[in-house]
Amino acid sequence: MAKALSSLAVGALVKDTGTLYNGKAIVWKIADKNHTGYPASSVTLITERIISLKCFDAIESGNSDSNRRSYGNNRWIYANIRQWLNSQAAAGKWYSAQHGQDAPPSNANVWSNYNEYEAEAGFLAGFSANFLAALLTTTHTVGKAQVDGGGTESCTDKIFLATCTEVGLSGDVAAGSKLALFSNDASRQAKPTAEAVSKSEYTNSSLNANSPWYWWLADAYASYSYNVRNVYSSGALYWGNACGGGWGVRPLCYLKSEISVSITGEGADDMEQAVRREEMKQEAAEAILSALEDYPPYLWGDALGASIAALFRSKQDAEEIAQEEADKKAVEGCPLPAAVKTA
């Protein structure tokens, strides 16, 4: 069985078994389709989970800006993470200086020596040929710091990070437009993969595969030369030093919408049903939220509780009716005793 990628609902999960990071297939979530301002006939993907903990940019000891000397550079076009995300280079070969004072994310150049990645292979090195061929080059807009002129600037990438605007948050500037996936704090929450947790040198009691964690956005915090906007574990807007290796990475990309997602071999029907189940679940959740918006928020909890109770009663009634029907059919199917048979 095969389906066009564009036929799947926003929120559906997809993966290419040949596209790996940390030895595991990357699971992506559909964030939008034909997103405003981006490639036509495309589907926006964002990783379902935080795939790694990395700094946005390394400490630049030669920078004339004292804060960038101590905490890294918050300008996306120069960020180490941007270069790494868009590189297919082998281990230790992806980095090259992007400006005169640039520095690699080595052990000495990241906050408290946590999670350097200079020696890694580029992110795209783990992508299959098919996935690479389907990636669309995207011109997108990000927010700049005031020391760099403020406002926004455009750049071109295949893999990138979302902006505040794209995840539905109000940063310093409007950069791009909101992706359909993001509607509230809960929709922005993301948990790290088990591999992201196990490979992180930074540890914290709240850092685990079952709890939301912080993840980088692409925008500079405009008032500073070194702080970068990110999503807090609660889903709210936050920020951090560019050199901080304790923040999560959740990349985006755009794929051609006509790509077919093939479902073949044993279990194909089950897989197709799982895809449709995910679509229906998303549709049902949106319908419920839409209905609740007609009533005051303080009634939402009681309304949901009453609805769940009604569902259980309906299920019980349905089971009782089904049992009665089954009993009736069983009686009708039995021959009458010889003494009372009718002519």
Side-chain angles (χ1 to χ4, degrees):
M1 305 288 296
K3 288 189 134 189
L5 184 61
S6 59
S7 70
L8 301 180
V10 169
L13 303 180
V14 296
K15 70 178 180 181
D16 169 21
T17 55
T19 295
L20 312 176
Y21 183 64
N22 283 334
K24 299 286 187 179
I26 301 169
V27 179
W28 304 84
K29 181 177 282 191
I30 294 179
D32 209 343
K33 296 187 284 188
N34 294 313
H35 184 59
T36 303
Y38 289 105
S41 301
S42 67
V43 173
T44 314
L45 301 182
I46 186 170
T47 55
E48 178 198 16
R49 287 176 173 257
I50 292 163
I51 60 162
S52 185
L53 271 63
K54 285 177 165 54
C55 73
F56 184 89
D57 190 68
I59 294 165
E60 298 176 347
S61 59
N63 200 299
S64 57
D65 183 300
S66 61
N67 285 316
R68 287 176 171 172
R69 283 201 302 272
S70 299
Y71 306 114
N73 194 322
N74 64 358
R75 192 169 182 178
W76 168 256
I77 63 168
Y78 296 145
N80 295 151
I81 198 66
R82 179 197 183 202
Q83 189 178 2
W84 176 75
L85 286 171
N86 286 278
S87 176
Q88 290 180 254
K93 303 293 185 182
W94 64 268
Y95 172 79
S96 63
Q98 301 298 292
H99 61 97
Q101 296 80 46
D102 203 9
S106 62
N107 183 264
N109 291 337
V110 295
W111 171 68
S112 296
N113 311 113
Y114 288 131
N115 297 333
E116 68 274 7
Y117 56 103
E118 179 188 17
E120 278 195 33
F123 182 53
L124 294 180
F127 280 47
S128 71
N130 286 339
F131 202 110
L132 287 170
L135 279 174
L136 295 172
T137 300
T138 303
T139 300
H140 60 116
T141 304
V142 298
K144 285 193 302 181
Q146 291 171 4
V147 297
D148 296 317
T152 63
E153 63 184 338
S154 295
C155 50
T156 302
D157 295 305
K158 288 193 172 180
I159 307 287
F160 49 99
L161 302 182
T163 64
C164 297
T165 306
E166 288 170 335
V167 299
L169 292 169
S170 297
D172 302 291
V173 293
S177 58
K178 190 178 76 67
L179 294 160
L181 179 66
F182 300 107
S183 56
N184 52 29
D185 284 351
S187 68
R188 287 183 285 270
Q189 289 182 316
K191 300 171 184 176
T193 62
E195 294 74 31
V197 175
S198 66
K199 289 181 176 292
S200 176
E201 296 171 335
Y202 174 78
T203 59
N204 184 290
S205 60
S206 297
L207 176 59
N208 59 75
N210 297 313
S211 301
W213 192 247
Y214 314 79
W215 49 285
W216 290 117
L217 298 172
D219 294 326
Y221 189 169
S223 300
Y224 302 87
S225 62
Y226 61 97
N227 276 332
V228 183
R229 294 294 192 178
N230 57 57
V231 176
Y232 193 64
S233 58
S234 67
L237 183 64
Y238 202 55
W239 66 91
N241 295 344
C243 67
W247 308 98
V249 180
R250 199 179 176 198
L252 283 86
C253 65
Y254 283 82
L255 295 187
K256 300 171 185 175
S257 61
E258 70 270 16
I259 290 170
S260 291
V261 180
S262 296
I263 304 174
T264 59
E266 188 176 352
D269 290 342
D270 290 342
M271 291 176 70
E272 188 172 38
Q273 288 173 16
V275 170
R276 180 55 187 150
R277 181 183 178 87
E278 185 67 29
E279 293 173 351
M280 290 191 295
K281 183 173 72 175
Q282 186 73 20
E283 290 167 4
E286 290 173 357
I288 291 168
L289 287 173
S290 177
L292 286 173
E293 286 174 356
D294 293 334
Y295 300 92
Y298 67 82
L299 289 176
W300 290 5
D302 291 341
L304 287 171
S307 297
I308 292 168
L311 283 172
F312 277 115
R313 286 196 301 272
S314 297
K315 182 175 182 293
Q316 187 175 19
D317 291 345
E319 288 173 347
E320 289 175 355
I321 291 170
Q323 187 60 52
E324 288 174 1
E325 290 294 323
D327 292 344
K328 182 179 178 182
K329 287 181 180 179
V331 170
E332 290 173 346
C334 291
L336 292 171
V340 294
K341 275 190 177 180
T342 57

